[in-house]
Amino acid sequence: MTQHGNDIIAVTGATGDVGGQAVERLRAAGARVRAVVRRPDQVEAFTARGVEARLADLGDRAALTEALVGVDQLFLVTAATPRQAEHGRTAVGAARSAGVRAIVHLSGGDAAEHSPMPWAAAIWQVDEAVRASGLERTILHPSGFMTNLVASGPAIRRGVFPQTMGRGVIGWIDTADIAKVAATVLLRGEHTGAEPVLTGPELLDGHGVARGLSDGLDRRVRYLHLPSRVFRALLWAGGVDAWQAEGLRQQFGRVARRGLDGVAAFTDEVELITGEPPRSLAGWARSHRHELLRLGAAA
């Protein structure tokens, strides 16, 4: 089955990175999109842009079910919070109650039942709920987001990429490529239970990331390996809350460094699905040069 003009595609997380880009790609392709958002001002903002929007919190099954009535496919994106698994399960239940045909779930390449990362364990639970739902499904498993490197901008501007991943490798991927895959899958509308693992064009350790940043920014950036607890303290100092900082310490200091839970996977699924190769880290850094280096920002 292919997506038709009258079939509604709902998107949760529509104000976020991947969800927001997916909405724009679907709109550009002429699809009928419904953004599911948590605040009235977000409904107003989408409506002003000509995007249908419904108000529903992922923790409120009744409101979410109502928001999904008439929807053919749901692109399920959940935020990394302590309630992520609950929100995902609630959304799956609401989709079933509303008569949604298919779910495309934004999972992760490192989703695992017993992961030390709370969000990786949470999305594994959501994956299980999607698999057990009886709905048609596609589950996307993207690798580490290049966008997350923006948080290291202050250090990068000083010529340093501080991390605790050591020689562990990740197939870092541009979120634009993830959104492109999601939009392609949703526009095709065909779901056979596939679970593609999405990666960028190369596996990179910390030194490889630094080289990619150096190439993209035209300035030398060197990798600075930190003990995981020092890395966590650096995140705290940068304003990351304790729950997320500990999860990131586990993500890079344990999972990535040791190559656990499929984190070192490498595939060509992005190109197979979209027909275009994924962007390199150097290419991503080049396109985000102003953001990473705060060019033109006040001193």
Side-chain angles (χ1 to χ4, degrees), residues 58-121:
L58 290 186
D60 185 338
R61 177 162 174 168
L64 190 55
T65 299
E66 184 177 349
L68 295 178
V69 169
V71 167
D72 179 55
Q73 300 176 85
L74 169 64
F75 183 31
L76 176 57
V77 183
T78 55
T81 71
R83 296 184 65 191
Q84 186 172 16
E86 173 197 342
H87 285 169
R89 290 193 299 264
T90 298
V92 173
R96 288 189 62 191
S97 297
V100 172
R101 174 178 66 88
I103 294 178
V104 175
H105 178 224
L106 182 64
S107 181
D110 50 10
E113 181 178 9
H114 300 296
S115 174
M117 293 182 293
W119 47 85

Side-chain angles (χ1 to χ4, degrees), residues 195-214:
E195 299 196 19
V197 174
L198 310 177
T199 74
E202 54 192 335
L203 289 171
L204 298 173
D205 63 6
H207 294 282
V209 172
R211 285 193 299 272
L213 291 169
S214 298

Side-chain angles (χ1 to χ4, degrees), residues 133-170:
S133 68
L135 303 180
E136 296 177 37
R137 68 181 188 274
T138 299
I139 299 177
L140 305 179
H141 294 280
S143 191
F145 292 8
M146 293 177 185
T147 305
N148 292 338
L149 299 173
V150 172
S152 298
I156 291 169
R157 290 191 283 277
R158 296 193 295 270
V160 176
F161 172 56
Q163 249 290 352
T164 190
M165 60 189 291
R167 289 291 182 180
V169 293
I170 296 174

Side-chain angles (χ1 to χ4, degrees), residues 22 46 84 137 248 294:
F46 275 109
Q84 186 172 16
R137 68 181 188 274
L248 289 168
R294 284 191 180 175

